[in-house]
Amino acid sequence: DAKTTQPPSMDCAEGRAANLPCNHSTISGNEYVYWYRQIHSQGPQYIIHGLKNNETNEMASLIITEDRKSSTLILPHATLRDTAVYYCTRKPGGTSYGKLTFGQGTILTVHP
Amino acid sequence: EAEVAQSPRYKITEKSQAVAFWCDPISGHATLYWYRQILGQGPELLVQFQDESVVDDSQLPKDRFSAERLKGVDSTLKIQPAELGDSAMYLCASSLERGTSKRTQYFGPGTRLLVL
């Protein structure tokens, strides 16, 4: 199964870190983990991606376990505007033309 | 910041009618994707183009759906005839690909289709 597994929903208090887990136990060695989020009625927005090393950008941090079977997206200081559906996806790397495989995502609700 | 453009944003049609959606990818992006997203689910790939060539249309219902990218730039997705079950968000995405490390897909705002 090429899909990922995420909790259906999570809550977070504004200003606190939001830690969103993802299970991808069947991931292949050349598959990247990509995270997107989707705010109601908009297209998915790219957040971050990684292969095996932890990654950080201006939006978030991505922690990938050493066995690569799971990862965690960290929003260090969540705001109300971070309320969205967060998708953890997989995509082959290398030179193959790989599609993103989306699961059902995690609905993150940031509350005051 | 460059964005993927899609039109129309909303479309209401009656079943058995034909509908068409248009996508203009980010300039220079060789790979273009069409996804369908049913309410409450994640997007699912319908078709993928590399320049003007289709590289994956395994999930495209070819009896009623067609897609083209004639000059390797913008693309059109057509449904004929539309069915009630086609009501969904249709998303277009693009990426540089072409053997580079920059394979991140960037999505457009989508076209929300309602078939009555």
Side-chain angles (χ1 to χ4, degrees):
Chain A
D1 184 356
K3 290 194 174 179
T4 57
T5 304
Q6 300 175 254
S9 64
M10 293 184 66
D11 288 337
C12 179
E14 189 177 21
R16 303 297 294 270
N19 298 288
L20 291 87
C22 178
N23 180 286
H24 32 79
S25 58
T26 61
I27 197 167
S28 301
N30 71 341
E31 283 188 298
Y32 285 75
V33 177
Y34 278 76
W35 282 82
Y36 286 80
R37 72 181 182 184
Q38 190 171 27
I39 296 170
H40 183 62
S41 295
Q42 298 181 21
Q45 177 191 23
Y46 166 76
I47 301 173
I48 198 168
H49 74 282
L51 183 63
K52 58 177 73 173
N53 298 319
N54 297 337
E55 302 287 345
T56 296
N57 63 20
E58 64 279 4
M59 290 183 68
S61 295
L62 175 60
I63 308 297
I64 302 174
T65 58
E66 193 168 341
D67 62 8
R68 303 209 326 118
K69 292 185 177 181
S70 65
S71 61
T72 301
L73 177 74
I74 301 172
L75 308 178
H77 305 287
T79 70
L80 298 179
R81 286 186 290 184
D82 291 322
T83 293
V85 180
Y86 286 77
Y87 292 101
C88 169
T89 69
R90 298 158 52 166
K91 188 177 189 300
T95 58
S96 64
Y97 304 123
K99 64 183 182 183
L100 288 170
T101 303
F102 288 84
Q104 297 207 337
T106 296
I107 300 171
L108 175 68
T109 302
V110 181
H111 52 86
Chain B
E1 180 177 306
E3 296 180 342
V4 176
Q6 289 189 249
S7 67
R9 292 294 310 277
Y10 304 92
K11 179 70 177 178
I12 300 174
T13 190
E14 294 183 345
K15 65 179 182 179
S16 79
Q17 295 297 305
V19 292
F21 313 129
W22 177 79
C23 171
D24 191 13
I26 294 172
S27 178
H29 279 197
T31 308
L32 185 146
Y33 309 79
W34 283 101
Y35 288 83
R36 176 171 61 184
Q37 184 175 26
I38 295 170
L39 193 63
Q41 299 182 19
E44 290 188 299
L45 182 72
L46 291 175
V47 62
Q48 177 182 347
F49 289 91
Q50 177 68 23
D51 298 310
E52 67 277 7
S53 300
V54 173
V55 295
D56 186 353
D57 63 357
S58 57
Q59 300 303 310
L60 188 71
K62 299 180 187 62
D63 57 334
R64 297 185 300 108
F65 286 64
S66 64
E68 61 182 17
R69 194 184 183 199
L70 294 177
K71 296 183 179 179
V73 181
D74 59 339
S75 175
T76 302
L77 178 69
K78 297 178 181 177
I79 308 174
Q80 183 174 17
E83 296 181 353
L84 297 178
D86 296 331
S87 294
M89 172 84 89
Y90 290 83
L91 293 159
C92 180
S94 70
S95 63
L96 270 174
E97 297 286 349
R98 213 192 291 277
T100 70
S101 62
K102 297 183 179 180
R103 298 184 177 86
T104 298
Q105 293 181 30
Y106 296 94
F107 285 81
T111 295
R112 186 168 294 282
L113 172 67
L114 178 61
V115 182
L116 302 175

